[in-house]
Amino acid sequence: MRYVFLTGTNRGLGQAVANLLKDDKIISITRSPIENNTVIHQSFLTDFNDIDTLENSISDIFSAIEPSNGDEVYLLNVAGTVDPVQSLGNLNGSEMLDNYKTNVVAPTLLIKGFINRFKDFKGTKRILTVTSGAAVNGIEGWGAYCSSKAAINMVHEVLNKENIHQENNIKSAIFYPGVIDTGMQETIRSSDINEFPNLDRFKEYKSNNALAKAEDVAAALIKVVTSDDFGNQESYNVKDYL
Ligand SMILES: NC(=O)c1ccc[n+]([C@@H]2O[C@H](COP(=O)([O-])OP(=O)(O)OC[C@H]3O[C@@H](n4cnc5c(N)ncnc54)[C@H](OP(=O)(O)O)[C@@H]3O)[C@@H](O)[C@H]2O)c1
């Protein structure tokens, strides 16, 4: 049996991933309830902006399953936010902090919970976190998003080193998903051009059908994380799998 701890299950890429993992047991961690037909083994509702509540829920979340040695356990950090889209001169500190909580602190706490809960589990253990090209290319108006995605990349770099040193038998990597036709792109297209000068380019992605379907990106993500040699690379890019 494969158990998959998944964030962002209620919409976008996370929902598409869940819909393709029908034979797995999904332990979903979302802010909003799941209002679609996705089959979930267990669902936890928590807003990543409320880090104390998330931290107090971690033990319950990872105690939701009792895997046997032949089982596999995955953590897929998919949830993320691009907000606030504001130039540095207008950046709101509290909104920036919320971005960091969702994009950096929450996935890091989930990684922490996963490591500790499954320390003695001898089966397959894998962690994949969805990042963004914005982590390595600064984009005007995305000061919070670019820097938070860069930060979670670095958390993974540390994780990869600790995996080896601590002999914890976890394989981990980050995944670059490209531009996907999800709610996040709608949010981007509704940005103020004064804060986000690239607005027209992103509107053209939509009008030119240049956005990937969430189902296709989800299929690539699953191909990556289930492959025999997953973890041999620190990062994977969807363009190599579409
Ligand atoms: N779409 C793109 O073009 C693109 C490009 C590069 C990278 N990515 C990355 O891909 C991943 C998936 O994004 P997407 O395109 O599927 O975006 P999406 O459609 O906007 O979905 C975002 C998901 O993250 C969840 N989330 C946001 N804030 C949260 C919070 N405070 N607490 C808990 N959950 C929260 C949302 O939950 P709610 O429904 O409760 O808001 C939703 O499930 C993200 O990590 C994103 O950074 C996307």
Side-chain angles (χ1 to χ4, degrees):
M1 175 55 62
R2 188 160 60 207
Y3 296 97
V4 179
F5 292 86
L6 176 66
T7 68
T9 323
N10 61 306
R11 63 190 174 95
L13 181 59
Q15 181 184 342
V17 168
N19 285 337
L20 290 178
L21 293 178
K22 290 194 192 317
D23 294 334
D24 298 356
K25 288 210 182 308
I26 295 176
I27 302 92
S28 164
I29 307 130
T30 59
R31 168 172 59 185
S32 308
I34 298 166
E35 292 168 344
N36 51 59
N37 296 330
T38 310
V39 179
I40 298 298
H41 177 61
Q42 198 152 337
S43 174
F44 292 89
L45 289 182
T46 175
D47 183 346
F48 293 168
N49 290 344
D50 181 356
I51 283 298
D52 290 342
T53 302
L54 173 64
E55 200 155 20
N56 290 331
S57 313
I58 290 281
S59 140
D60 286 347
I61 291 170
F62 289 105
S63 300
I65 60 163
E66 218 32 86
S68 310
N69 275 350
D71 291 336
E72 299 182 26
V73 187
Y74 289 9
L75 167 62
L76 306 180
N77 286 312
V78 178
T81 181
V82 70
D83 287 323
V85 178
Q86 292 161 343
S87 56
L88 296 181
N90 290 325
L91 194 54
N92 176 288
S94 148
E95 291 176 36
M96 182 178 186
L97 197 55
D98 281 347
N99 178 295
Y100 274 46
K101 287 177 187 170
T102 296
N103 290 353
V104 189
V105 186
T108 304
L109 288 178
L110 290 167
I111 290 169
K112 171 186 169 186
F114 184 96
I115 292 170
N116 291 325
R117 167 67 176 89
F118 301 117
K119 208 176 260 313
D120 299 324
F121 174 62
K122 301 289 178 231
T124 298
K125 298 184 276 185
R126 296 183 170 187
I127 299 176
L128 178 146
T129 297
V130 176
T131 184
S132 165
V136 289
N137 293 301
I139 295 171
E140 290 171 80
W142 287 6
Y145 186 60
C146 292
S147 56
S148 64
K149 287 297 191 181
I152 195 64
N153 283 8
M154 185 50 78
V155 168
H156 260 264
E157 201 172 317
V158 172
L159 172 64
N160 291 338
K161 291 191 172 154
E162 292 185 354
N163 284 341
I164 296 166
H165 184 70
Q166 297 174 3
E167 298 179 351
N168 64 16
N169 191 33
I170 294 175
K171 301 278 187 202
S172 54
I174 50 174
F175 179 74
Y176 289 91
V179 281
I180 327 163
D181 198 0
T182 63
M184 183 173 284
Q185 287 292 327
E186 287 174 26
T187 303
I188 292 166
R189 287 194 301 275
S190 65
S191 304
D192 177 350
I193 195 161
N194 296 314
E195 301 298 316
F196 180 58
N198 282 306
L199 181 62
D200 288 342
R201 177 155 65 90
F202 279 79
K203 284 185 172 170
E204 280 165 21
Y205 286 154
K206 179 68 175 171
S207 57
N208 295 340
N209 283 325
L211 298 173
K213 290 196 183 83
E215 296 71 29
D216 295 339
V217 178
L221 183 156
I222 291 166
K223 192 168 183 186
V224 163
V225 75
T226 57
S227 71
D228 289 344
D229 59 1
F230 173 74
N232 286 359
Q233 293 172 219
E234 290 190 355
S235 71
Y236 296 84
N237 194 313
V238 71
K239 69 176 163 46
D240 298 324
Y241 296 86
L242 285 181

